[in-house]
Amino acid sequence: VPAVPLPREFYDRDTRRVARALLGKILIRREGRRHLTGRIVETEAYLGTDDAAAHSAPGITARNRVIFGPPGHAYVYFIYGNHYCLNVNCLPEGQAGCVLIRALEPLTGLEQMARNRGLALDHKAVETHAPRLLRQLTTGPGRLCQAFAITRERDNGKDVTNARSDLTIADDGFRPRRVLTTPRIGITKSADEMLRYLIEGNPFASGVMNKR
DNA sequence: TTATAGATTGCCT
DNA sequence: GGCAATCTATAAT
């Protein structure tokens, strides 16, 4: 696992470019000496005050203030009374924009992820239902937060570029072969904008056959 | 002060 | 494929 997080400059540019560039990077949750890691395989861009679907659309509020802050910080919100979602904010302080992390390919710490998700993941289960089970760990924005124990209370506003942070994003050199662009999922406003990015063919992206 | 919709998920038929 | 669960930000009263 790479020890050096992506630098702040990585996030200090157009939100769509960051959303695409985050594909293939590694999300790292550190719990003492143990690590949970997963490769980012699906993202969505949420633009500034011009994007009706973005939480930043109404301007700065208590809830969304992280999106207007300096780049490279986690924006975590609670939705539908049940789920947390993880974003990283982009662009310089004062400009809104963030990327929603929608799906990961789990890499290390799978048993802990399963425990966090309330799933049984023994060897027998892996042998018989591996693809189904593994997809239940970190496919979907709410699921990956539960698997990584990401909550608003614990992680909102956290600097993901700080190596001492327990939530960081790093580059291990992996580059996606091909990237698909589609409309965003689960929104009603600005639903036609092509702002969802995923690694073509990766089985851990959400949706059927990597589409929707 | 009350009502409503929401960047989701899991269980039901 | 349909729908309930369950909290909260924001709009409407």
Side-chain angles (χ1 to χ4, degrees):
Chain A
V1 177
V4 183
L6 290 168
R8 195 168 316 286
E9 305 85 67
F10 179 90
Y11 304 98
D12 194 359
R13 51 178 167 157
D14 183 276
T15 305
R16 285 161 290 207
R17 291 183 59 202
V18 177
R20 181 177 287 258
L22 276 174
L23 293 177
K25 303 301 187 291
I26 301 191
L27 182 69
I28 304 169
R29 166 65 101 190
R30 183 168 48 77
E31 303 267 19
R33 293 183 214 79
R34 305 170 68 105
H35 290 73
L36 303 179
T37 67
R39 193 176 306 286
I40 298 170
V41 301
E42 180 186 352
T43 61
E44 282 176 356
Y46 285 86
L47 311 183
T49 45
D50 291 335
D51 181 359
H55 288 177
S56 49
I60 190 164
T61 67
R63 174 213 207 183
N64 69 22
R65 63 184 171 74
V66 175
I67 309 176
F68 292 82
H73 292 259
Y75 167 55
V76 182
Y77 65 88
F78 189 58
I79 191 69
Y80 292 118
N82 283 300
H83 311 286
Y84 294 97
C85 290
L86 170 68
N87 301 251
V88 186
N89 77 313
C90 306
L91 298 170
E93 181 158 17
Q95 291 184 52
C98 63
V99 175
L100 172 70
I101 312 295
R102 283 196 58 90
L104 305 172
E105 176 177 347
L107 297 178
T108 66
L110 274 64
E111 291 193 8
Q112 184 61 52
M113 292 183 202
R115 278 193 292 276
N116 291 344
R117 292 267 300 122
L119 302 169
L121 189 67
D122 53 52
H123 289 295
K124 192 163 135 192
V126 168
E127 283 171 22
T128 52
H129 309 291
R132 272 180 75 89
L133 247 164
L134 295 183
R135 258 180 70 92
Q136 287 188 51
L137 294 178
T138 54
T139 291
R143 287 172 172 175
L144 73 88
C145 281
Q146 190 178 28
F148 276 59
I150 292 167
T151 66
R152 180 184 56 196
E153 293 76 11
R154 178 178 177 184
D155 299 300
N156 188 45
K158 195 166 280 181
D159 183 358
V160 301
T161 71
N162 187 333
R164 289 180 302 182
S165 173
D166 63 0
L167 188 68
T168 57
I169 301 175
D171 183 359
D172 71 344
F174 178 90
R175 294 293 177 272
R177 181 181 282 279
R178 232 179 120 86
V179 171
L180 293 182
T181 307
T182 81
R184 293 175 291 188
I185 288 182
I187 57 171
T188 53
K189 303 169 193 162
S190 302
D192 296 333
E193 302 275 349
M194 302 287 276
L195 293 173
R196 172 174 175 248
Y197 304 89
L198 54 137
I199 298 178
E200 186 178 64
N202 188 288
F204 293 93
S206 71
V208 181
M209 299 292 287
N210 288 348
K211 291 178 184 159
R212 201 183 271 193

